[in-house]
């Protein structure tokens, strides 16, 4: 429980720090040890009474148990930081997540930056921009269509045995024909084809290829950090950058594909009903316990961090039992 809580709070704290343009810092569990001890005792208790009533003799026994867990953390840096935080999420992971039950709107809305020229707020992959991102309506429509065919399994991913590349196969059935045709039209794919190669190389784009540019974990953190609610006094003090529309009004990041899936609220007092909360700059930032969309997106972020870790060195808990007791 301590490990889970500390790692979750670390993610939330770093999201808030990124919103304030401060450097994030990550710690990983280095080792877990638990020292256990047992103690037992036995004896006889006696008591004398006055007035010739005799005495009372009775046995007594005791058993004690204690545990002292210790968790060691190490900073994430160097090659490990690069591999886990700055490398783009693998394309295969997107479709594996969808096939395991995650919605296309959540996975693609958070992890994908571009698909065949359709943009998902690429300027949000870094510090908060001054100007709003481009139009995302076509991208959002694509996500709706992807979610529709995910339930019918009309689109399947696999690895081509000859090229070892990821391919998408469209099942041409009367039930999904209209949806698939609209998807091909939005993506600029050949209407007569039902099998398309998937790549991250924009130079390979064609009517037979789907080019997907995914975000890294750090870029995802930057994107989600735009959804942090900011106190008005912090905005007036210039502690954060506010994205402004051409008319000078504030841009609503909640209307972006990721913004519909995630939100971090703020309060001047510690919230009573929060799934997760951290203090920062004299305020509390939290995910509401009844905000199921944000909780699901936060869970996805944790899974992506694990998936992107590459060859993770397993750290098994160590149980230490003192033999001298």
């Amino acid at each position: 429980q301590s490990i889970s809580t500390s790692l979750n709070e670390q993610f939330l704290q770093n999201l808030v720090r990124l919103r304030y343009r401060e450097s994030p810092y990550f710690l990983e569990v280095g080792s877990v040890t638990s020292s256990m001890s047992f103690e037992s005792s036995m004896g006889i208790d006696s008591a004398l009474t006055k007035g010739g009533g005799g005495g009372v003799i009775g046995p007594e026994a005791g058993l004690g148990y204690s545990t002292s867990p210790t968790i060691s953390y190490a900073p994430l840096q160097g090659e490990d930081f690069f591999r886990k935080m700055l490398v783009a999420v693998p394309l295969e992971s997107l479709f594996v997540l969808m096939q395991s039950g995650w919605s296309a709107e959540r996975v693609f809305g958070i992890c994908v930056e571009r698909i065949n020229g359709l943009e998902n707020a690429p300027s949000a992959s870094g510090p908060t921009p001054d100007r709003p991102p481009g139009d995302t309506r076509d991208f959002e429509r694509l996500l709706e269509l992807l979610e529709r065919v995910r339930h019918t399994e009309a689109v399947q991913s696999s690895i081509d045995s000859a090229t070892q590349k990821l391919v998408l196969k469209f099942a041409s059935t009367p039930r999904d024909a209209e949806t698939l045709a609209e998807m091909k039209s939005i993506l600029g794919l050949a209407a007569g084809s039902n099998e398309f190669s998937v790549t991250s190389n924009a130079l390979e784009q064609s009517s037979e290829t789907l080019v997907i540019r995914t975000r890294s974990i750090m870029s995802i953190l930057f994107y989600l950090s735009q959804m942090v609610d900011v106190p008005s006094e912090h905005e007036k003090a210039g502690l954060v950058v506010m994205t402004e529309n051409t008319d000078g009004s504030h841009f609503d990041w909640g209307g972006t594909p990721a913004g519909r899936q995630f939100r971090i609220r703020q309060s001047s007092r510690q919230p009573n009903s929060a799934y997760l909360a951290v203090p920062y700059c004299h305020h509390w930032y939290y995910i509401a316990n009844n905000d199921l969309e944000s909780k699901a997106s936060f869970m996805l972020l944790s899974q992506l961090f694990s998936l992107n870790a590459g060859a993770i060195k397993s750290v098994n808990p160590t149980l230490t039992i003192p033999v001298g007791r």
Side-chain angles (χ1 to χ4, degrees):
Q1 181 65 31
S2 298
I3 294 172
S4 175
T5 301
S6 62
L7 293 179
N8 285 340
E9 289 179 349
Q10 176 179 238
F11 269 118
L12 182 58
Q13 184 85 21
N14 281 323
L15 285 170
V16 177
R17 290 178 63 85
L18 287 173
R19 183 67 180 90
Y20 283 80
R21 290 200 175 181
E22 296 188 9
S23 299
Y25 195 76
F26 295 91
L27 294 174
E28 284 196 308
V29 177
S31 64
V32 181
T33 61
S34 181
S35 176
M36 298 194 315
S37 64
F38 292 90
E39 295 181 356
S40 61
S41 63
M42 295 187 65
I44 298 177
D45 184 38
S46 62
L48 299 176
T49 60
K50 297 181 179 179
V56 178
I57 300 177
E60 64 177 12
L63 180 64
Y65 161 79
S66 65
T67 179
S68 301
T70 302
I71 305 173
S72 299
Y73 294 91
L76 181 62
Q77 54 190 356
E79 183 181 349
D80 288 339
F81 180 86
F82 176 81
R83 185 178 70 248
K84 296 183 181 182
M85 304 303 299
L86 301 180
V87 174
V89 175
L91 295 175
E92 295 83 353
S93 299
L94 301 180
F95 297 97
V96 169
L97 287 167
M98 287 175 53
Q99 292 170 0
S100 64
W102 287 100
S103 72
E105 292 169 314
R106 194 178 310 280
V107 174
F108 277 70
I110 291 175
C111 303
V112 174
E113 196 171 83
R114 289 185 177 90
I115 302 180
N116 275 26
L118 304 181
E119 294 186 347
N120 176 20
S123 61
S125 296
T128 304
D130 298 326
R131 298 300 177 189
D135 192 355
T136 60
R137 284 178 292 182
D138 287 343
F139 186 89
E140 292 167 12
R141 177 57 180 167
L142 175 63
L143 299 190
E144 293 176 7
L145 299 174
L146 273 173
E147 181 63 14
R148 189 182 302 173
V149 297
R150 182 180 72 87
H151 291 294
T152 62
E153 298 185 349
V155 176
Q156 296 290 330
S157 63
S158 62
I159 302 296
D160 186 273
S161 58
T163 63
Q164 295 300 308
K165 290 185 176 182
L166 182 67
V167 295
L168 282 186
K169 297 180 180 179
F170 288 18
S172 183
T173 61
R175 177 183 56 181
D176 302 303
E178 185 177 344
T179 301
L180 295 176
E182 186 177 355
M183 285 180 59
K184 293 177 184 178
S185 176
I186 293 176
L187 292 169
L189 299 176
S193 299
N194 285 319
E195 184 172 322
F196 306 92
S197 60
V198 183
T199 180
S200 59
N201 186 357
L203 298 178
E204 298 181 18
Q205 186 167 347
S206 69
S207 61
E208 302 287 340
T209 304
L210 192 63
V211 179
I212 302 178
R213 179 176 174 178
T214 59
R215 288 182 161 92
S216 65
I217 297 298
M218 182 59 74
S219 296
I220 292 173
L221 289 172
F222 270 117
Y223 192 11
L224 295 180
S225 73
Q226 319 300 342
M227 316 323 159
V228 176
D229 289 347
V230 177
S232 58
E233 56 265 34
H234 291 182
E235 177 187 339
K236 294 176 181 178
L239 298 180
V240 294
V241 173
M242 303 301 296
T243 305
E244 295 184 351
N245 296 308
T246 54
D247 60 1
S249 61
H250 289 169
F251 175 74
D252 181 17
W253 285 100
T256 59
R260 293 188 173 92
Q261 312 289 336
F262 190 71
R263 180 185 177 188
I264 297 177
R265 308 165 192 264
Q266 63 84 21
S267 173
S268 58
R269 299 180 180 180
Q270 184 173 1
N272 295 323
S273 58
Y275 162 67
L276 194 64
V278 294
Y280 188 81
C281 203
H282 308 295
H283 278 72
W284 283 86
Y285 295 84
Y286 66 99
I287 297 175
N289 202 28
N290 60 355
D291 187 355
L292 302 183
E293 292 295 328
S294 295
K295 290 170 69 175
S297 297
F298 195 82
M299 188 191 308
L300 175 63
L301 176 62
S302 300
Q303 289 194 9
L304 287 168
F305 182 78
S306 299
L307 282 171
N308 222 38
I312 302 176
K313 296 180 180 179
S314 178
V315 180
N316 297 320
T318 302
L319 180 65
T320 303
I321 301 178
V323 297
R325 296 187 179 182

